[in-house]
Amino acid sequence: MSAQRVALWAAEPDLDDEIHDVDIPLAIPSYHTADIYDEQNLQLDENTLTAMQTQIAQQAAFSQIPDVVKRFIVHFHQAVLDNNLPEITLAYESGWNRLTEKFYAKTEWPEAEIIAPLVNDDQIFLVLYRELYYRHVYSRLQPNIDDRFHSYENSCELFNYLLNSDGPVSLSLPAQWLWDIIDEFIYQFQSFALFRSRPATKTDDELAMLGSEGGTQAWSSYSVLNVLYSLIQKSHVNEWLKARAESKTDEEIERIVGEYGTRPLYRQLGYFSLIGLLRVHVLLGDFTLALKVMEQVGLGLGVGQKAPFTAPTAAHVSTAYHAGVCYLILRRVTDAARVFTGCLNWVMRARQYHTRSYQYDQINKTADRMYALLALCNTLAPTRLDDNVMNIVRERYGDQMTRMGRGEEGLSTFEEIFLYACPKFITASGPPYDDPTTLAQLINPPTPSSPTSPSGPSPPVSDPTHRHLRALTAHFMSLTPVPVLRSLLKLYTSLDARKLAGFLDAGVDEEEVLSWMMVMKNAGRCIGRVNITAGADKDEDKGTNGTSSSGGDSLLDGEWMSISDLNFVIDENMIHIAESTVGRRYAGWFIRNSEHAARVLDGVRASPLPGTLPFSAKVQGKDGDGKIEKGAKEGAPRSSGQKVAWGGVKAV
């Protein structure tokens, strides 16, 4: 048939020409459904196409998720639904970090919308998942402006769920996660404030987003403080701490704190919010209010002070670090030194238990900053502190402490150490992104040749970190003559002011020397919460951090006391010097050397005896026939014989 068809077409070569010559009239009918292609419906089709493309992209991203990650998310979600605290803790502290190191060390975790089918679109779990997601972005990657805004929206959604639900929520989370939520919330607020404070580096799109209504409200100081104070008020944590201090019964405490305060979730969030408020007020520069917030909490490590529950190590370290910064800026240097010393002592003892913690690096970084701040404290007010901690300080910052002790010569070293160790202070309000004219003047300030501009490349006054640095360096510069005077006065018991002026630089008269002596007299006194000389041995024996409340219930309480071992009296132009010596702390010396001897003894006991036979050697019997005695095991120690120093036995 096909052959006939081919032959037929082959026999008609002019058939195509005949068809072209035929004129056939065609009438095209008008279709009533032709309006489906108008612009409005075409836009709907584009939206549908975009949704389909998004769905396809999500399916492709979902297919790329490893199976072990999918199983982990399903297991994690089920543990949260069941309020299975041990499983949640295991998944949070171990599973998440292990999978992060294996699959997402340098990339983002899957977005919440992609893993939503695995958790049946559970919005509460997705909010918790986004909290972990954005924390990973901030810690491992570089967040962009969209990440900063979206993390703020997720934080608002999480705290609205906790605070504005009808009654307490039925959710159980480990204390470590609750602390990390508060800590990360404040860190992201600080990071956004620092990001917002540099308008010169912003693109046009970022300037537009920051200048919008949502941009001015995102991560505002008011919203952050409102969240922390709301958690404290909702949980009644201050009332709970006060009731515990007054030794009230459990029934009385329940009536005081209400239904929210009896829930561990709200109680721990309220307690961590107090520590978070301490940090926020320090970042904003209100150091007095920061210490005022901690009145009911204390510093947690003093004599007779115990944490109300097992708080994470990072919470204790953060409390001591920011409280010490408050005391340092308020020029209560001895209190700052004692807080730093006590916390560092505690960290050294507990370090072996946190080597596997994912917060180990952060704890070590904060401890290093405290060592640096302790070097500044020792320069401003030399006092006798714990020998173990001071040995580490001298080992790390010995050269810098020597330069700072020379007065003005060590000013640059003082500034360098402070800028390294201090928190990154922020301002409560950012640049005026909603006012382009003012913002342009801020980005392009007047040139140095302008009469209204400052002469020199000094940082702007609006920089909070350098503002606090200038205040502290002014105090440091006022103490520059103290080291020289101190070294000279230690050589005499009485000295004429004119003779002392002759020992100093040329051009220094007698009146100026007496004014320096008054500066030295004032530098040897400060306000402190405890008497360092009387309470030093007690703190060392009990292993505390010296933050007990013997000076008062408030962290702001204190009394004037002398912190110098060199005292003097000026009678007309004669200076009478009296140097007080502090006895050696024998208790600490014996404890340290006893521990060292115990470690040496343990090492000797663990080492093999010299000249012993290997375990495979056979024990010779009394008759020398080479057989093992009945009941004796090969390689087992003897049960009789004279004992020797390393715990073995000596053959007789």
Side-chain angles (χ1 to χ4, degrees):
M1 190 63 148
S2 59
Q4 295 177 358
R5 193 176 297 116
V6 171
L8 177 63
W9 286 104
E12 301 291 340
D14 297 330
L15 185 61
D16 291 340
D17 296 337
E18 294 177 0
I19 291 177
H20 286 294
D21 293 340
V22 177
D23 187 9
I24 301 176
L26 297 176
I28 301 177
S30 59
Y31 295 97
H32 299 287
T33 59
D35 57 348
I36 63 173
Y37 299 104
D38 60 4
E39 183 178 357
Q40 180 178 0
N41 290 324
L42 184 62
Q43 181 68 27
L44 291 176
D45 291 340
E46 289 179 355
N47 292 336
T48 304
L49 180 61
T50 303
M52 292 178 61
Q53 292 176 347
T54 303
Q55 185 178 4
I56 293 173
Q58 290 180 354
Q59 291 176 355
F62 182 83
S63 62
Q64 295 178 358
I65 300 176
D67 293 337
V68 63
V69 176
K70 295 179 182 178
R71 291 194 298 268
F72 167 76
I73 293 175
V74 172
H75 175 74
F76 199 1
H77 173 241
Q78 188 61 42
V80 173
L81 286 180
D82 299 339
N83 286 330
N84 191 339
L85 206 55
E87 291 295 333
I88 296 175
T89 304
L90 182 63
Y92 175 76
E93 296 185 356
S94 176
W96 177 272
N97 298 301
R98 180 167 46 83
L99 294 177
T100 297
E101 294 293 340
K102 186 175 182 179
F103 297 105
Y104 304 106
K106 297 182 180 180
T107 184
E108 300 175 350
W109 273 72
E111 295 183 356
E113 291 75 15
I114 296 176
I115 60 101
L118 293 173
V119 298
N120 297 325
D121 202 20
D122 186 351
Q123 294 301 316
I124 304 304
F125 181 81
L126 291 179
V127 169
L128 296 174
Y129 177 83
R130 290 191 189 97
E131 194 274 330
L132 297 173
Y133 172 86
Y134 288 115
R135 192 195 310 172
H136 171 71
V137 171
Y138 274 85
S139 61
R140 298 295 187 97
L141 310 173
Q142 184 65 32
N144 54 32
I145 191 170
D146 291 330
D147 293 329
R148 299 179 188 274
F149 280 102
H150 292 160
S151 64
Y152 173 74
E153 295 171 357
N154 187 73
S155 298
C156 292
E157 189 173 353
L158 174 60
F159 290 120
N160 285 334
Y161 167 69
L162 295 174
L163 295 171
N164 299 327
S165 299
D166 297 332
V169 299
S170 58
L171 182 66
S172 296
L173 296 178
Q176 181 67 60
W177 194 352
L178 296 177
W179 161 253
D180 290 338
I181 288 175
I182 299 297
D183 183 66
E184 186 67 19
F185 178 64
I186 298 172
Y187 170 74
Q188 292 179 9
F189 161 65
Q190 178 188 16
S191 177
F192 185 84
L194 295 173
F195 169 80
R196 182 182 55 189
S197 64
R198 297 185 289 267
T201 60
K202 303 295 179 290
T203 62
D204 293 339
D205 293 338
E206 291 175 343
L207 292 174
M209 293 182 66
L210 292 172
S212 62
E213 182 179 358
T216 56
Q217 295 178 357
W219 292 114
S220 64
S221 302
Y222 172 79
S223 60
V224 174
L225 292 173
N226 183 40
V227 166
L228 298 177
Y229 276 110
S230 298
L231 288 172
I232 294 171
Q233 183 179 5
K234 182 74 72 173
S235 62
H236 295 90
V237 64
N238 280 321
E239 293 81 357
W240 178 70
L241 291 170
K242 185 177 180 180
R244 288 183 72 256
E246 296 174 354
S247 301
K248 293 185 179 295
T249 62
D250 294 340
E251 293 77 8
E252 292 175 338
I253 294 178
E254 289 181 4
R255 287 195 298 269
I256 293 173
V257 300
E259 59 176 347
Y260 283 91
T262 56
R263 299 294 184 94
L265 176 73
Y266 289 93
R267 183 190 306 162
Q268 294 174 0
L269 281 174
Y271 182 82
F272 295 145
S273 296
L274 288 172
I275 302 176
L277 273 180
L278 167 68
R279 178 180 174 184
V280 171
H281 288 311
V282 168
L283 296 178
L284 295 175
D286 197 342
F287 307 105
T288 302
L289 183 57
L291 293 176
K292 186 75 173 176
V293 167
M294 299 292 291
E295 282 187 351
Q296 298 296 334
V297 180
L299 299 183
L301 298 175
V303 179
Q305 293 183 358
K306 295 182 179 179
F309 44 81
T310 306
T313 303
H316 293 299
V317 175
S318 176
T319 302
Y321 171 72
H322 291 96
V325 170
C326 290
Y327 283 131
L328 178 61
I329 302 297
L330 295 175
R331 300 187 184 179
R332 297 176 57 168
V333 184
T334 55
D335 286 339
R338 289 175 63 81
V339 171
F340 291 143
T341 302
C343 182
L344 292 172
N345 251 328
W346 184 76
V347 169
M348 283 192 296
R349 294 178 184 136
R351 180 168 293 177
Q352 57 181 331
Y353 304 107
H354 301 283
T355 54
R356 296 183 180 180
S357 173
Y358 67 97
Q359 287 193 335
Y360 180 73
D361 294 336
Q362 182 63 33
I363 293 172
N364 279 341
K365 290 179 181 178
T366 307
D368 292 340
R369 294 190 179 98
M370 284 194 281
Y371 282 118
L373 292 176
L374 194 56
L376 299 184
C377 294
N378 191 72
T379 301
L380 295 175
T383 53
R384 184 165 185 176
L385 300 170
D386 184 85
D387 294 336
N388 292 331
V389 176
M390 289 308 301
N391 288 337
I392 299 177
V393 173
R394 295 188 188 97
E395 180 182 350
R396 297 185 180 184
Y397 300 100
D399 297 338
Q400 292 90 329
M401 291 171 63
T402 303
R403 287 196 295 270
M404 289 187 292
R406 297 171 184 167
E408 189 175 356
E409 181 182 347
L411 178 61
S412 60
T413 304
F414 185 91
E415 294 177 347
E416 179 184 355
I417 294 179
F418 180 79
L419 292 176
Y420 159 72
C422 72
K424 293 180 174 61
F425 297 102
I426 59 177
T427 56
S429 58
Y433 286 99
D434 53 348
D435 188 354
T437 304
T438 307
L439 185 64
Q441 295 179 357
L442 183 64
I443 296 176
N444 300 313
T447 59
S449 60
S450 175
T452 60
S453 63
S455 59
S458 60
V461 181
S462 60
D463 186 0
T465 301
H466 286 84
R467 186 166 60 247
H468 296 306
L469 175 62
R470 279 191 290 271
L472 202 59
T473 51
H475 178 56
F476 171 77
M477 292 300 296
S478 66
L479 303 178
T480 51
V482 172
V484 178
L485 291 175
R486 181 183 177 88
S487 61
L488 291 174
L489 292 179
K490 279 192 171 185
L491 302 176
Y492 298 88
T493 57
S494 61
L495 182 64
D496 185 73
R498 185 177 304 172
K499 184 177 181 180
L500 180 60
F503 291 147
L504 300 174
D505 297 336
V508 178
D509 57 4
E510 186 176 344
E511 293 297 329
E512 188 173 0
V513 169
L514 293 178
S515 66
W516 287 359
M517 297 294 294
M518 291 297 100
V519 171
M520 181 178 177
K521 190 76 171 179
N522 184 64
R525 301 175 69 248
C526 74
I527 297 178
R529 297 183 63 237
V530 289
N531 191 330
I532 295 179
T533 305
D537 293 332
K538 295 181 181 179
D539 293 337
E540 186 174 276
D541 294 341
K542 294 183 180 180
T544 64
N545 66 345
T547 58
S548 64
S549 57
S550 59
D553 294 333
S554 174
L555 298 180
L556 293 171
D557 291 342
E559 57 184 14
W560 283 99
M561 60 184 184
S562 177
I563 60 175
S564 177
D565 58 352
L566 190 67
N567 197 9
F568 59 89
V569 176
I570 302 177
D571 184 9
E572 293 182 355
N573 289 336
M574 183 62 67
I575 306 171
H576 301 279
I577 303 103
E579 184 178 2
S580 59
T581 58
V582 181
R584 186 171 184 177
R585 301 174 186 174
Y586 294 102
W589 186 87
F590 276 111
I591 290 174
R592 288 191 299 272
N593 285 276
S594 299
E595 292 176 349
H596 177 70
R599 289 193 296 269
V600 172
L601 181 59
D602 292 340
V604 171
R605 285 179 173 175
S607 61
L609 296 178
T612 55
L613 294 175
F615 291 130
S616 59
K618 294 189 176 182
V619 180
Q620 296 291 334
K622 291 183 179 180
D623 53 356
D625 57 357
K627 296 182 179 179
I628 301 177
E629 296 181 4
K630 183 178 181 181
K633 294 183 178 179
E634 185 177 359
R638 298 179 181 178
S639 59
S640 63
Q642 184 179 356
K643 294 185 178 180
V644 293
W646 48 79
V649 292
K650 184 177 180 181
V652 293

